Amino acid sequence: MQTDGIILDVDGTLWDSTPIVAKAWTKAVREGGCTEMTVTADMLKKLFGKTMKVIADLLLPQVEEKKRYEIMDVCCVYEHEELERDECRICYPKVISTVQELSRKVTVCIVSNCQAGYIELFLEKTGLGPYVKDIECYGNTGMNKAENIRLVVERNGLKKPVYVGDTQGDLDASREAGIPFLFASYGFGNPDSADGVLKSFDELLEVVEPFQTKKES
């Protein structure tokens, strides 16, 4: 597949933060009044990829609307703190070396439905900041993933971008944005179609080839 830009999802594609996040969210929901509730990694794997508002609606349907969003805000704060404390050695195999190699050939970007600051934290923990040219997320723009994909494509002048993700939502966003979708089959979801399947992240090096030489910035 020829491309001049690879746009990456985070959770279920680059790393699995669900065990760390589950601990933080359990603390938040219990402080918010759901004293008997435990958030598990398996629960989060079914929710990640959706916007934070939708996650709150699905995770806390028994809680009054305004209150559930307040709890979700606390979840995000505690999550960030927990990830900051943790070493976060949670990337899938060869993610770091593969992103470094890809960045020498094509533009690498990240688009996620996460809260503001999450992608920056991922880049800090992994040391991948110098290799990722652009990022965008729901927390920054309030827009859905398809709209944020289009925004990144336009900002970077990409002609043949491809999105790499692991969920049905990632597939739907790619289709809505009008770009090909590569399915990270080792991740959390099981989309109903894809333009290619990755059994491991480093297969990207075999699947894609540069559409054109990346312009020097």
Side-chain angles (χ1 to χ4, degrees):
M1 180 182 292
Q2 287 195 329
T3 181
D4 59 345
I6 296 175
I7 306 174
L8 302 167
D9 174 50
V10 180
D11 294 301
T13 300
L14 299 176
W15 73 4
D16 179 5
S17 67
T18 55
I20 300 170
V21 175
K23 177 181 176 182
W25 285 25
T26 295
K27 178 183 176 183
V29 298
R30 289 183 177 180
E31 287 183 0
C34 303
T35 56
E36 302 298 318
M37 185 174 182
T38 298
V39 180
T40 67
D42 285 341
M43 290 167 62
L44 294 178
K45 287 177 182 179
K46 296 174 183 177
L47 295 171
F48 275 13
K50 299 175 172 59
T51 64
M52 302 310 294
K53 181 178 183 297
V54 172
I55 289 175
D57 292 339
L58 293 172
L59 184 68
L60 302 167
Q62 76 280 18
V63 179
E64 184 270 329
E65 188 176 86
K66 182 175 181 292
K67 179 66 174 178
R68 82 173 69 125
Y69 300 144
E70 291 173 353
I71 294 174
M72 184 53 57
D73 286 342
V74 177
C75 283
C76 292
V77 171
Y78 286 179
E79 170 187 326
H80 193 95
E81 292 174 351
E82 198 65 38
L83 288 168
E84 280 277 17
R85 282 192 291 267
D86 198 275
E87 291 184 351
C88 288
R89 299 189 180 187
I90 51 178
C91 284
Y92 291 107
K94 298 185 178 179
V95 161
I96 293 175
S97 61
T98 299
V99 170
Q100 290 171 337
E101 178 68 20
L102 286 170
S103 72
R104 290 193 279 268
K105 302 175 181 179
V106 298
T107 297
V108 178
C109 304
I110 293 176
V111 171
S112 170
N113 272 335
C114 62
Q115 68 272 26
Y118 186 77
I119 300 175
E120 290 88 342
L121 182 59
F122 166 82
L123 295 174
E124 174 191 333
K125 287 292 185 176
T126 59
L128 286 174
Y131 306 96
V132 176
K133 185 177 180 183
D134 197 7
I135 64 172
E136 200 52 87
C137 69
Y138 171 80
N140 286 342
T141 67
M143 299 191 299
N144 66 34
K145 184 169 282 188
E147 293 170 316
N148 283 325
I149 289 173
R150 291 195 196 102
L151 191 61
V152 165
V153 168
E154 182 178 350
R155 276 200 308 240
N156 293 278
L158 301 178
K159 305 301 182 185
K160 290 179 71 69
V162 60
Y163 191 80
V164 183
D166 67 304
T167 66
Q168 183 67 40
D170 292 334
L171 168 65
D172 293 342
S174 300
R175 295 287 184 257
E176 185 179 339
I179 69 173
F181 171 73
L182 294 179
F183 169 42
S185 64
Y186 52 84
F188 301 160
N190 188 30
D192 56 28
S193 65
D195 299 295
V197 178
L198 304 173
K199 293 181 180 178
S200 61
F201 187 77
D202 61 314
E203 286 186 359
L204 269 173
L205 296 173
E206 303 170 11
V207 170
V208 302
E209 61 182 53
F211 168 64
Q212 60 185 18
T213 303
K214 187 175 69 171
K215 295 180 179 178
E216 298 294 333
S217 56

